[in-house]
Amino acid sequence: MIFAMLIISVVAVSCADSSEPTAVSTSTATPVVTTTPIAVVLAREYVEIEGWSDTTSGILWANPNGVAIDADDNIYTTEFQGNRIRKFDPTGELLLEWGGSGRENGKFDAPTGIAIGPEGNIFVSESGNHRIQKFTADGEWLTSFGKLGRKDGEFESAMVLAISDDGVIYATDWGNARINVFMTNGDVVGSLLSFSQDPGGLASPTGIKIGPDGNLWVVDRGNNRVQKFTTDGELLGLWGEFGEEPGQFNVPTSINFDAAGNFVISEFRGHRLQQFTPDGRLISEIAPGTFQGPHGLAFDSTGALYVADTGNHAIRKFVPE
């Protein structure tokens, strides 16, 4: 089956004239949509070199789903059911863990996303507590922000975080089908986008990342696609459609980029990882047939890829050949 990439050239997308992101909606003008066959490029193979699970390292997990890596290549993980954060050094030694189930500061209810701020602080989003918590790299609680609701800065399930170098947090809001925008001190900046199945709209968004191009790449899970926006919410591109053929998506969850700008997408129901060139051409599937509902993805400074293999209760590490 020929699989396709939708290249969206937006003719007219309006956004508020403001120096800060605010609520943005696309213009009623119809974007130009061109369907183009994806050329499969030379495959870049990844080889699994180790994994952390009860069978490989004696570490028990309860649905790991978020992964982040700091400037020293330490690895931080979240667990959706385990309600805790773990910190490992690059050799895989467990350095620290904190959390536990609850609503108090430093406790968690279904933590989903984790990201490192420009000052090295750790930010964790919680689907169950509808908030973001901020910690030092050693697990000391600093502050929390966000709550259940529909106003800017409120959530109906906070999902995944992306943080810019200048300290702006973009957090996907599953139930409200949008992106909430904060400063790293918790100040609310505004929100971007809204629910729609049309290009530029979102449905149950999950993964989000600021790409090497400085734009926001959003995993539009409910629409089985990936969309690229400016940080003001202007639509730049769209890839994917529902399906299980190469280049299609079956409930995509997360996105991340290697040093060359290639991006990897994990699929919860497709049980796979696909990697693409920066312009959306399919490269290959990574370790086909071995994942069970993968979520979080992160690259370290050496180019190694870490994957939260949620259904298999493992963190897996791959290196490019």
Side-chain angles (χ1 to χ4, degrees):
M1 175 179 179
I2 294 177
F3 40 93
M5 173 180 72
L6 294 179
I7 302 175
I8 307 300
S9 173
V10 181
V11 175
V13 178
S14 63
C15 61
D17 291 328
S18 172
S19 59
E20 296 182 339
T22 54
V24 174
S25 60
T26 56
S27 162
T28 56
T30 303
V32 175
V33 180
T34 304
T35 301
T36 307
I38 301 176
V40 179
V41 301
L42 180 64
R44 183 183 188 188
E45 297 296 333
Y46 279 84
V47 177
E48 187 168 9
I49 60 170
E50 59 184 303
W52 306 329
S53 68
D54 60 339
T55 57
T56 61
S57 62
I59 297 176
L60 295 174
W61 300 90
N63 297 116
N65 58 344
V67 185
I69 298 177
D70 68 16
D72 296 320
D73 280 345
N74 296 307
I75 302 100
Y76 297 80
T77 63
T78 63
E79 290 175 75
F80 191 74
Q81 297 295 330
N83 291 314
R84 63 186 164 194
I85 309 302
R86 280 172 163 160
K87 177 181 179 180
F88 298 85
D89 74 9
T91 69
E93 179 183 352
L94 179 61
L95 300 176
L96 183 68
E97 65 177 59
W98 72 88
S101 300
R103 297 184 179 276
E104 305 88 351
N105 294 331
K107 301 293 185 180
F108 302 105
D109 183 3
T112 47
I114 186 165
I116 315 295
E119 297 179 350
N121 294 313
I122 312 302
F123 294 81
V124 181
S125 51
E126 297 175 74
S127 177
N129 282 328
H130 312 287
R131 66 182 178 184
I132 296 169
Q133 295 196 71
K134 178 181 179 180
F135 302 88
T136 68
D138 294 323
E140 178 186 353
W141 179 85
L142 296 174
T143 190
S144 299
F145 45 95
K147 62 180 181 179
L148 178 64
R150 296 180 178 274
K151 297 178 182 178
D152 287 354
E154 298 177 344
F155 294 98
E156 288 195 6
S157 293
M159 296 302 291
V160 181
L161 309 169
I163 306 178
S164 70
D165 291 340
D166 55 354
V168 181
I169 299 174
Y170 301 88
T172 50
D173 183 352
W174 170 284
N176 288 319
R178 65 183 180 184
I179 299 167
N180 272 320
V181 187
F182 304 87
M183 300 305 296
T184 51
N185 64 1
D187 287 348
V188 177
V189 177
S191 61
L192 301 171
L193 311 173
S194 61
F195 172 78
S196 178
Q197 295 178 323
D198 296 330
L202 301 176
S204 305
T206 51
I208 187 168
K209 193 70 178 176
I210 299 173
D213 56 6
N215 293 307
L216 281 177
W217 294 67
V218 182
V219 178
D220 188 6
R221 174 171 168 155
N223 288 321
N224 291 290
R225 64 192 181 191
V226 176
Q227 299 193 79
K228 179 171 72 168
F229 301 91
T230 68
T231 53
D232 290 326
E234 178 184 351
L235 179 64
L236 299 176
L238 182 155
W239 291 264
E241 61 184 358
F242 174 74
E244 297 189 354
E245 296 296 323
Q248 297 177 330
F249 300 120
N250 187 353
V251 189
T253 52
S254 295
I255 182 171
N256 216 319
F257 294 82
D258 67 15
N262 302 309
F263 60 93
V264 177
I265 303 292
S266 57
E267 294 174 67
F268 176 64
R269 289 186 182 160
H271 306 297
R272 65 181 176 179
L273 268 61
Q274 296 186 86
Q275 55 175 327
F276 300 83
T277 63
D279 59 355
R281 291 176 296 150
L282 180 68
I283 298 174
S284 68
E285 182 178 344
I286 298 172
T290 67
F291 293 102
Q292 186 68 32
H295 279 74
L297 308 166
F299 287 92
D300 69 14
S301 65
T302 71
L305 170 64
Y306 292 80
V307 182
D309 192 352
T310 305
N312 283 323
H313 304 284
I315 301 293
R316 300 170 64 183
K317 181 179 180 179
F318 298 81
V319 294
E321 282 191 326

